[in-house]
Amino acid sequence: MIISTGTASGKSLAYLTPAVASCLDGGTVLYLTPTKALAADQLRGLRELRITKLRAACFDGDTPFEERTWVRQHANYVLTNPDMLHRSILPRHAQWSTFFRRLRLVVVDECHGYRGVFGSHVAQILRRLRRACARYNARPTFMLASATASEPGVFATRLTGLEMDEVTVDASPKGSTTIALWEPPLTELRGEGGAPVRRTATAEAADLLADLVLADVRTLAFVRSRRGAETVALSARAKLADVAFSISPPFPIPTTTTNPTPPSTTPTPASSPQAPGATTGTSPAPSDASPLTTAPSDAPPPSEASPLACSRSDAPAPSNAPALTSSPSDTPAPSDASLLTSSPSDAPATSDLSAPSDLALRPSEAPTPSDVPAPSDVLAPEPASEPEPSQTAPTHGPLTWALPDTPDPDLADLPNKIAAYRAGYLAEDRRLLEKALRAGTIMGLATTNALELGVDVSGLDAVLIAGWPGTRASLWQQAGRAGRDGQDALAVLIARDDPLDTYLVHHPEALFGQPVEAIVLDPGNPYVLGPHLCAAAAEIPLTEDDLPIFGATTSKVLDDLVAQNLLRRRPAGWFWTRRERATDLADIRGGGGSPIQVVESSTGRLLGSVDEPSAHTTVHTGAIYLHQGETFLVELLDLDAGVALVTSANPDYTTFARDITDISILSTERSQALGSGTLHFGEVEVTRQVVSYLKRRLQSGEMLGDEPLELPPRTLRTRAVWWTLPASAVAPLAEAGIDLGGAAHAAEHASIGLLPLFATCDRWDIGGVSTELHADTGLLTVFVYDGHEGGAGFAERGYARATDWLTATREAIMSCECERGCPSCIQSPKCGNGNEPLDKRGAIRLLNTLLASQ
């Protein structure tokens, strides 16, 4: 069964009741969650039941080794995650035989997070779990809990391989939530090509977070990256320290962490501004006079000149903008990968790609398969650095939650009411932060999507979302963190300087009244299936009877594994015969390769690790690396030794890697006419190489230079969607003076930015290439490809919805207020060719030509 309903609708109670009953009847329960934070929260709730016969325990990377034997032998309710199931429990299933023989129920919580390549891996892990249960004559019931999702029964069947009943009716009571669409203002700064630069979403989020905390509004700020979360928290703390200093005697800012202390005041829920429906508007930069700065929680609604674009759920809204409470509200977007046993990767998304000049390939956006970090604390990847720098420099050291005695304790404690929460913190620090947030000691928390899932953080009044989170479902999930006690709430979506974010704040109809996205996963992907067949054979030799469990392509993949000498075929079945651990072949988080250790050169201190593919863009020589509030400069990246040497530094700039790409078509699986051109879908090979990195001033985003790098190229076999235009269609454009290469390049950038609206992906999951004349097609060609080995289904969904996708791309470019192109429409921070050439007018003409008959 799958239960697919909104945030705080009672899903936990729905599976807890039969789970606890199974334990009381002598059975066991296995609870799977994508994050350790959620498992710890569930364990806290189970212990509060105080049921003697319920022996619940977590089994994850935070579990001490001396406790793991007790969990295997005595626990009857085990809370774990797919990583531990894959690497520890299933390979040692004989040690868990007593637990498996009595297994009655498998709970897969927050299952909507299992999508893309990660979801495909989890699907195969669940099939291996079913085999292990069958070995001990157990046939457990699988109960899945999900946010409101499109076709949940179909998705659950693909995830587990079992027939599914679905429960989708949500009658739970909710307060009203006001949704505000906030577009940061343009600044006087100029970026590449003289393009105007908007104030960054992280800078806006820091100001708003400080303003809301000053108004006693308990707030979560979701930031897309770990570095961004740290920056928002530190910047907001700096603002509160300035406020406290300006109205009270000076007090020292401590630099040591102490236990949380209760706040001196009780937060009051914020009243949401009334609005008749979803409208849009541009906000000025928040200041001390910002509407949210001085307004108390019972402030009157803003005037018609308010910069907020609102949709209130209890207000008369147009038909295409229903109340948030009736909107889907419980699905996450790509996230901070699971806080498990290895150090988190801090890798940003890879830079935009281009190709060699002899092919006239234009720079394109390249994802990194390892945007999903090594196990850390949530389920899917989020870039470890923002594409735009913060405009508010942090001024404080490590976060604290209490201050020494001061002349005015209430004012002195202001900065300590804000903290950051992300992957990479010690387990005890994360638990302390969660407890402090629930208790009200912390009034504002800047977090990655580590807190997006169902962790109980009830009592929140407002949520800030710095940048489009990737999917509508994730937007409602994050917005649903506020108002979980039934009170009214506020959610603010702050647009980044990005084509998709700009499109959404100007087209609220794309958010409201639209169904959430279908969850895409492909368990039959041979790059996913092969390693799990090896792992399954190492656990229990495979037989002919096992083949239907793993899917229709299993026989072919097994033949390939035998040919590669990974498995040996015998009359009794297929056997793993190597000494290596078979589970090491399946990198379920998509890191790939051995991690790179980040070491401080002066002390030899190990700071953490970065997965190998991300190292090219994250810890290349000259990169700025942020770790737990400290800034380091990378002195040397030694890929052979697997180490990056760093030194403590305090530069006034940040860095962004750029790479170039070459792409070749291996096979075309589908083609169809699209206007005057042709649309294709098939397999491609992408070769990428990081060639340089940009230096941008931290405070303003000003370009300081482009430094060359020498790193080896990387090759990726994946799936792509591409469109071509014949010479007869582009000749009139060339005669009109249109730069065809610049037009195709601009269209490529914008189409990459808009694809996440139509496929369940993040911009960092996909890449692209454009060229006036591609060697394989002989025509003007624009490619968009999946950034994961073997493909992840994103390009395929782009092919299926090409007309809607490219029409929205054209609209996003046309509606942007800039003259020649800017980051809000056609520029990309990842462009390997410095966003040159780009032709905004030409891109519109090119897309008009392509969509002429649509």
Side-chain angles (χ1 to χ4, degrees):
M1 172 184 289
I2 180 170
I3 304 171
S4 179
T5 53
T7 308
S9 57
K11 294 188 294 293
S12 297
L13 183 62
Y15 62 71
L16 270 176
T17 304
V20 173
S22 297
C23 293
L24 297 180
D25 289 341
T28 59
V29 173
L30 182 65
Y31 172 91
L32 291 176
T33 171
T35 76
K36 292 195 298 183
L38 181 54
D41 186 68
Q42 287 286 318
L43 180 62
R44 179 183 58 83
L46 288 168
R47 287 176 174 172
E48 287 176 353
L49 296 176
R50 300 186 181 276
I51 299 176
T52 305
K53 292 185 178 180
L54 182 64
R55 300 183 299 277
C58 283
F59 190 86
D60 56 29
D62 292 341
T63 306
F65 284 95
E66 57 271 18
E67 292 183 15
R68 297 188 180 190
T69 301
W70 184 92
V71 175
R72 286 194 296 267
Q73 296 177 352
H74 301 290
N76 56 10
Y77 196 120
V78 174
L79 302 96
T80 187
N81 47 58
D83 306 76
M84 290 297 285
L85 187 60
H86 164 62
R87 291 189 172 275
S88 180
I89 296 177
L90 291 177
R92 299 179 177 87
H93 60 84
Q95 298 178 9
W96 291 81
S97 58
T98 302
F99 180 86
F100 278 132
R101 283 193 180 96
R102 298 182 292 126
L103 187 59
R104 305 276 184 84
L105 183 65
V106 176
V107 178
V108 186
D109 201 2
E110 304 289 354
C111 64
H112 47 271
Y114 301 131
R115 60 182 183 82
V117 174
F118 176 57
S120 301
H121 279 291
V122 174
Q124 293 299 345
I125 292 171
L126 292 178
R127 286 158 173 78
R128 287 163 51 199
L129 173 63
R130 290 169 51 201
R131 283 186 76 232
C133 292
R135 174 67 174 261
Y136 299 100
N137 297 315
R139 293 179 57 85
T141 298
F142 280 74
M143 178 174 269
L144 283 64
S146 166
T148 304
S150 176
E151 300 180 330
V154 174
F155 157 67
T157 297
R158 298 192 73 185
L159 184 65
T160 63
L162 299 168
E163 293 185 7
M164 283 283 162
D165 288 329
E166 61 180 40
V167 176
T168 58
V169 177
D170 183 356
S172 57
K174 292 182 176 67
S176 63
T177 300
T178 296
I179 304 292
L181 306 181
W182 186 289
E183 184 176 43
L186 290 169
T187 67
E188 296 180 356
L189 300 173
R190 290 294 179 266
E192 292 178 305
V197 176
R198 290 191 183 276
R199 195 163 188 263
T200 66
T202 49
E204 295 282 277
D207 282 357
L208 290 173
L209 179 60
D211 294 342
L212 287 164
V213 169
L214 279 172
D216 266 350
V217 177
R218 197 177 301 183
T219 306
L220 265 185
F222 285 103
V223 190
R224 291 173 55 86
S225 73
R226 299 172 195 155
R227 183 168 68 180
E230 294 272 9
T231 301
V232 167
L234 291 172
S235 300
R237 283 160 55 86
K239 180 173 181 179
L240 292 185
D242 290 342
V243 171
F245 182 82
S246 66
I247 58 178
S248 69
F251 58 90
I253 300 296
T255 58
T256 57
T257 303
T258 60
N259 291 328
T261 55
S264 57
T265 59
T266 301
T268 305
S271 293
S272 305
Q274 294 274 2
T279 59
T280 60
T282 302
S283 89
S287 65
D288 286 340
S290 165
L292 288 180
T293 305
T294 57
S297 59
D298 58 350
S303 66
E304 293 183 359
S306 168
L308 295 176
C310 303
S311 171
R312 180 169 175 140
S313 60
D314 61 351
S319 58
N320 64 346
L324 176 70
T325 51
S326 61
S327 300
S329 60
D330 218 331
T331 306
S335 56
D336 208 8
S338 134
L339 292 161
L340 295 172
T341 54
S342 61
S343 300
S345 161
D346 236 2
T350 54
S351 51
D352 209 1
L353 308 177
S354 66
S357 56
D358 58 334
L359 290 179
L361 288 175
R362 300 307 178 191
S364 56
E365 296 207 30
T368 302
S370 58
D371 274 344
V372 185
S376 47
D377 193 48
V378 271
L379 52 142
E382 39 82 25
S385 63
E386 289 287 314
E388 64 270 341
S390 169
Q391 291 181 348
T392 307
T395 59
H396 289 324
L399 78 135
T400 69
W401 301 304
L403 291 172
D405 293 335
T406 63
D408 190 337
D410 291 340
L411 290 174
D413 198 48
L414 273 177
N416 292 328
K417 292 186 177 182
I418 291 179
Y421 182 102
R422 65 166 179 84
Y425 288 162
L426 297 176
E428 53 267 29
D429 289 341
R430 296 196 306 273
R431 302 294 90 83
L432 186 64
L433 282 165
E434 294 160 15
K435 182 178 179 180
L437 181 64
R438 284 192 294 267
T441 305
I442 292 176
M443 293 291 294
L445 197 64
T447 178
T448 58
N449 49 9
L451 286 181
E452 178 179 312
L453 301 182
V455 177
D456 182 11
V457 287
S458 55
L460 294 176
D461 306 312
V463 165
L464 304 175
I465 304 170
W468 171 245
T471 62
R472 297 183 196 92
S474 188
L475 176 69
W476 306 133
Q477 173 76 10
Q478 292 183 3
R481 294 300 95 184
R484 289 174 66 88
D485 273 347
Q487 76 272 28
D488 293 351
L490 170 70
V492 183
L493 173 62
I494 306 168
R496 292 178 303 143
D497 211 359
D498 175 90
L500 179 53
D501 289 43
T502 303
Y503 178 85
L504 291 173
V505 296
H506 287 279
H507 297 79
E509 67 277 5
L511 293 176
F512 303 102
Q514 298 294 327
V516 294
E517 303 83 355
I519 303 173
V520 180
L521 70 156
D522 181 14
N525 182 336
Y527 294 94
V528 172
L529 177 58
H532 286 285
L533 289 175
C534 291
E539 292 156 8
I540 306 168
L542 286 166
T543 66
E544 292 284 350
D545 293 339
D546 293 325
L547 303 192
I549 296 176
F550 293 97
T553 61
T554 304
S555 295
K556 182 179 182 303
V557 175
L558 281 173
D559 293 340
D560 292 339
L561 295 174
V562 172
Q564 298 171 38
N565 294 320
L566 291 172
L567 293 181
R568 181 172 297 173
R569 177 75 187 269
R570 292 175 177 168
W574 290 264
F575 291 77
W576 174 258
T577 58
R578 297 195 172 193
R579 292 186 176 182
E580 298 90 350
R581 284 169 50 93
T583 53
D584 291 340
L585 296 176
D587 183 9
I588 73 172
R589 300 283 178 175
S594 300
I596 302 297
Q597 306 298 320
V598 182
V599 178
E600 188 173 18
S601 58
S602 60
T603 64
R605 177 169 61 120
L606 177 64
L607 298 179
S609 64
V610 177
D611 52 275
E612 193 270 339
S614 296
H616 290 233
T617 56
T618 309
V619 289
H620 57 76
T621 301
I624 300 301
Y625 180 74
L626 190 65
H627 178 76
Q628 294 187 356
E630 297 183 74
T631 304
F632 297 89
L633 176 67
V634 180
E635 297 178 333
L636 175 68
L637 170 60
D638 189 335
L639 293 172
D640 294 331
V643 64
L645 298 177
V646 303
T647 184
S648 181
N650 190 27
D652 64 346
Y653 63 87
T654 187
T655 56
F656 298 92
R658 279 179 161 168
D659 51 9
I660 60 173
T661 192
D662 188 9
I663 190 167
S664 58
I665 300 172
L666 301 180
S667 64
T668 303
E669 297 181 12
R670 278 171 256 166
S671 297
Q672 67 182 41
L674 181 65
S676 55
T678 307
L679 186 73
H680 307 272
F681 171 75
E683 187 177 11
V684 297
E685 184 174 79
V686 181
T687 302
R688 302 172 304 180
Q689 183 176 17
V690 175
V691 295
S692 67
Y693 65 95
L694 294 178
K695 297 168 72 173
R696 288 182 176 175
R697 196 174 299 281
L698 187 64
Q699 298 260 355
S700 64
E702 175 188 356
M703 294 286 298
L704 299 179
D706 191 352
E707 303 292 333
L709 289 170
E710 292 185 7
L711 287 169
R714 303 183 61 83
T715 301
L716 172 72
R717 275 196 165 200
T718 186
R719 310 276 176 173
V721 54
W722 66 94
W723 51 269
T724 60
L725 278 173
S728 58
V730 298
L733 301 179
E735 294 171 0
I738 299 295
D739 178 358
L740 294 179
H745 188 197
E748 172 224 325
H749 278 186
S751 62
I752 288 172
L754 268 292
L755 182 56
L757 190 61
F758 300 92
T760 310
C761 69
D762 189 83
R763 180 169 183 158
W764 315 107
D765 291 327
I766 52 180
V769 181
S770 57
T771 172
E772 261 181 82
L773 188 65
H774 191 268
D776 293 336
T777 64
L779 302 170
L780 183 149
T781 310
V782 175
F783 295 86
V784 176
Y785 61 87
D786 293 345
H788 299 270
E789 194 73 31
F794 309 137
E796 187 172 10
R797 293 188 68 79
Y799 178 87
R801 300 197 60 188
T803 300
D804 294 338
W805 166 37
L806 294 173
T807 300
T809 299
R810 177 181 61 184
E811 173 63 24
I813 301 173
M814 292 175 62
S815 62
C816 186
E817 58 199 62
C818 70
E819 293 184 7
R820 298 173 50 197
C822 69
S824 295
C825 57
I826 63 173
Q827 286 191 354
S828 167
K830 304 191 297 175
C831 181
N833 226 36
N835 283 304
E836 290 291 343
L838 289 176
D839 188 337
K840 178 178 179 178
R841 183 173 62 92
I844 296 171
R845 291 280 300 274
L846 195 66
L847 290 169
N848 283 338
T849 301
L850 179 67
L851 300 168
S853 62
Q854 301 301 309

